[in-house]
Amino acid sequence: MDYEVIIVGGGPVGMMLASELALANIQVCVLERLSQTTPYSRALSIHPRTLELLDLRGVKQEFLKRGTPLTTGHFAGLDTRLDFSVIDSSSNYSLFLPQSETEAILENNAVRLGAHILRNTEVLSVVQDDEGVEVTAAGTKGMVRLKAAYLVGADGAGSIVRKQTGIPFIGHDETLTAMQGDVILKHPPALPVVSRYSEEGMIMIVPLPAAMHRVVLIDPQRSHIPKSEPVTLEELRSGMLRIWGDDLGAGEPSWLTRFGNATRQAQQYRERRIFLAGDAAHVHFPAGGQGMNVGIQEAFNLGWKLAADLKGWAPPWLLDSYHNERFPVNTSLLHNTQAQTLLFGTSFTSSMIQLRKMMSDMLNVPAANYQLASRIAAVDVQYDPTLPGSSHPLTGRRLAEIHLRSEQGDVISSFELFRDGSFVLLHLASDEKMNICQWPPQIKAFSYTVADRSTVDWEDVHTVLIRPDGYIAWVVSRSESDPIEKLRQGLVHWCGRP
């Protein structure tokens, strides 16, 4: 084998996955057809759960140096903003950062950790057998053939990996399109972010770096145009005049594009030795800024599982759990983006305007706002909590940051324990019932007490096993009569051995 894992696609998802695998000392190669990071930025937001995951690996500060924290988000561009600040998270905000910047940071991190990046390399064919996967690609030095034990397609909506593997892409094609232009505005609006919805259409204007603004339009007079047709500056300005009443002196475009509401999902995310992630696995209308975020979250879910299998300790079911866990999450994602699409641009009528006003008023109710904010932020994700023998309410939930106190009185963040991508075993009870030193190498064991008085959910936790991607795998309650046996059951399930 040339590598243990080959990743096709060097966008944010591919680079994040490469980082996770390289962190686990897996030989990984990324094949990317572009010669350098694209200067265009479809995504502009890193949402709270993604920031938490970056924090687990100690790289969040690199993103904070370049981005701008925003405490609110939106659902279908409704007037009432979603409030991220009330989310139980140390990253209770969205980070405004162009995708090009995100990609550059992730690529630098992947290279630093030892990933091999091959740019100017276009994949032509993918073939797998019982032993591995062979990739044929055209590179700067001609044709190359590479072999690996596993391959991941992170190569976007038109994924050659998905097509050649024969995985059905279930859903529907676009029924409407929107326009986007990154332009200079001679007369920008007074407020930094503005939007308007009327019977003439929908417009949103957002400031970008380098004195640019992003103008997004759903123009009912142009929403039937296929996304393959290029957008012209005159078309964008004409739509601005109709919907905003002024083209604001728009000019000097750096990027004009059209996007649609095609909604599809791969029927399965794994076909033997080949996996799909990001847009290769699911596409949708880019509502709420969720696409890149869920892709990065998939990379965290898949990376440690592939590493576990390659290192020989993964239980037989573990690789299949990637599809089993992420497919329902992304089905929910497609449902919420379809609902937003209906509210965004399918009917510019007085009835739709009244429906949007009603929905916006409902978001003034804290519980309703919190529910949608949690969904967009992806902090509501909970993996199967019904594992045999584990009925604790924390099971399957994400680890929100808690503070831990050592016997010496030092206080640390729980996130600091995940820097090397291992399972973390936390012994939180002040007893001597457990020897925390004799564990398999993929588990790092620690003894602390919880320093956060407000962390009610943790009051009865004796010992907890937390996955490398920051989700709680197994909980031993303080009321357990035989905590060692209870923990042994969890270790056998998750790690294949006690």
Side-chain angles (χ1 to χ4, degrees):
M1 295 292 177
D2 297 292
Y3 297 96
E4 291 175 285
V5 179
I6 290 174
I7 300 167
V8 181
V13 179
M15 291 302 180
M16 187 72 258
L17 180 57
S19 295
E20 285 294 281
L21 291 167
L23 181 65
N25 295 314
I26 298 299
Q27 294 179 307
V28 57
C29 177
V30 178
L31 305 181
E32 170 54 51
R33 64 180 180 83
L34 297 179
S35 60
Q36 59 186 0
T37 300
T38 176
Y40 307 125
S41 298
R42 179 79 73 189
L44 293 174
S45 298
I46 305 179
H47 286 328
R49 181 53 184 163
T50 308
L51 289 170
E52 288 181 340
L53 293 171
L54 296 171
D55 206 1
L56 290 178
R57 300 295 184 258
V59 297
K60 186 175 86 167
Q61 288 301 318
E62 289 299 312
F63 293 85
L64 290 177
K65 289 176 186 176
R66 304 195 198 186
T68 303
L70 301 173
T71 59
T72 64
H74 76 87
F75 188 87
L78 296 173
D79 289 341
T80 304
R81 303 281 291 178
L82 301 179
D83 185 3
F84 291 149
S85 70
V86 298
I87 293 173
D88 177 23
S89 173
S90 54
S91 299
N92 56 349
Y93 51 87
S94 182
L95 190 68
F96 185 87
L97 184 67
Q99 182 177 324
S100 57
E101 296 277 335
T102 298
E103 286 188 21
I105 297 172
L106 292 176
E107 181 172 0
N108 290 339
N109 191 53
V111 171
R112 177 182 63 82
L113 291 169
H116 190 194
I117 314 297
L118 287 180
R119 288 190 171 273
N120 287 311
T121 304
E122 184 171 3
V123 172
L124 304 176
S125 70
V126 175
V127 179
Q128 65 174 320
D129 57 29
D130 292 341
E131 302 299 321
V133 185
E134 182 177 271
V135 177
T136 302
T140 55
K141 297 181 180 179
M143 299 292 289
V144 294
R145 284 183 173 82
L146 299 171
K147 292 184 178 180
Y150 291 106
L151 180 140
V152 181
D155 51 339
S159 171
I160 188 172
V161 174
R162 187 191 65 242
K163 292 175 181 176
Q164 295 217 346
T165 308
I167 297 175
F169 207 31
I170 308 300
H172 65 77
D173 292 330
E174 64 193 47
T175 58
L176 68 86
T177 59
M179 288 182 281
Q180 175 180 299
D182 292 353
V183 295
I184 297 290
L185 298 181
K186 293 180 180 178
H187 313 293
L191 296 175
V193 178
V194 295
S195 63
R196 179 176 296 171
Y197 189 100
S198 70
E199 294 184 21
E200 300 299 325
M202 189 282 297
I203 184 170
M204 184 178 297
I205 304 174
V206 180
L208 298 175
M212 303 286 291
H213 279 78
R214 171 161 296 176
V215 179
V216 179
L217 292 174
I218 301 179
D219 182 348
Q221 294 190 24
R222 305 293 294 171
S223 62
H224 63 285
I225 305 298
K227 72 174 186 177
S228 58
E229 183 172 319
V231 176
T232 66
L233 178 60
E234 286 308 310
E235 183 183 14
L236 184 79
R237 293 176 65 178
S238 176
M240 293 176 70
L241 282 169
R242 276 193 298 275
I243 301 168
W244 189 257
D246 191 336
D247 67 9
L248 302 175
E252 302 179 55
S254 64
W255 188 30
L256 296 169
T257 189
R258 206 182 306 270
F259 56 92
N261 68 325
T263 301
R264 293 185 176 275
Q265 183 166 210
Q267 186 169 284
Q268 67 260 14
Y269 289 6
R270 178 192 184 189
E271 174 57 37
R272 295 161 58 199
R273 292 184 170 273
I274 295 176
F275 297 80
L276 301 176
D279 288 352
H282 44 78
V283 295
H284 53 86
F285 195 70
Q290 300 169 91
M292 182 187 73
N293 286 275
V294 297
I296 290 174
Q297 291 155 29
E298 286 158 18
F300 270 89
N301 186 291
L302 180 59
W304 68 271
K305 294 174 180 179
L306 283 172
D309 183 86
L310 289 163
K311 290 180 179 295
W313 61 264
W317 55 268
L318 189 62
L319 287 182
D320 283 334
S321 75
Y322 169 63
H323 169 89
N324 294 337
E325 289 182 343
R326 293 306 304 180
F327 188 88
V329 171
N330 292 323
T331 299
S332 177
L333 163 71
L334 299 188
H335 290 164
N336 91 54
T337 55
Q338 287 174 312
Q340 291 188 73
T341 304
L342 286 172
L343 290 168
F344 257 132
T346 54
S347 174
F348 294 96
T349 63
S350 59
S351 297
M352 179 58 73
I353 291 171
Q354 290 305 310
L355 176 60
R356 286 177 59 87
K357 184 179 184 304
M358 182 183 299
M359 290 287 295
S360 188
D361 289 344
M362 288 176 65
L363 289 181
N364 286 314
V365 179
N369 194 299
Y370 183 83
Q371 180 174 339
L372 283 184
S374 297
R375 184 162 301 175
I376 297 298
V379 297
D380 66 340
V381 172
Q382 181 174 9
Y383 297 135
D384 188 2
T386 60
L387 296 174
S390 183
S391 58
H392 195 280
L394 286 175
T395 304
R397 286 169 50 181
R398 84 189 214 283
L399 174 69
E401 184 181 37
I402 59 174
H403 291 91
L404 304 167
R405 181 175 288 111
S406 70
E407 292 181 358
Q408 293 74 34
D410 300 322
V411 176
I412 68 164
S413 163
S414 58
F415 286 1
E416 294 179 40
L417 306 179
F418 291 84
R419 298 296 190 247
D420 66 354
S422 300
F423 267 91
V424 168
L425 180 68
L426 275 179
H427 178 50
L428 301 174
S430 56
D431 59 26
E432 301 298 329
K433 293 181 180 179
M434 199 166 296
N435 180 349
I436 66 164
C437 300
Q438 305 300 318
W439 305 109
Q442 65 267 27
I443 296 174
K444 304 295 184 184
F446 304 91
S447 182
Y448 286 99
T449 57
V450 177
D452 298 302
R453 294 182 179 179
S454 61
T455 314
V456 178
D457 291 341
W458 291 78
E459 288 181 349
D460 78 326
V461 176
H462 181 283
T463 305
V464 59
L465 182 66
I466 308 167
R467 298 165 22 159
D469 58 351
Y471 286 87
I472 296 168
W474 198 263
V475 181
V476 179
S477 173
R478 290 175 186 261
S479 61
E480 188 65 44
S481 59
D482 190 348
I484 294 179
E485 172 58 22
K486 184 71 173 180
L487 179 59
R488 188 194 69 81
Q489 295 172 15
L491 293 175
V492 168
H493 179 81
W494 283 99
C495 304
R497 57 177 175 169

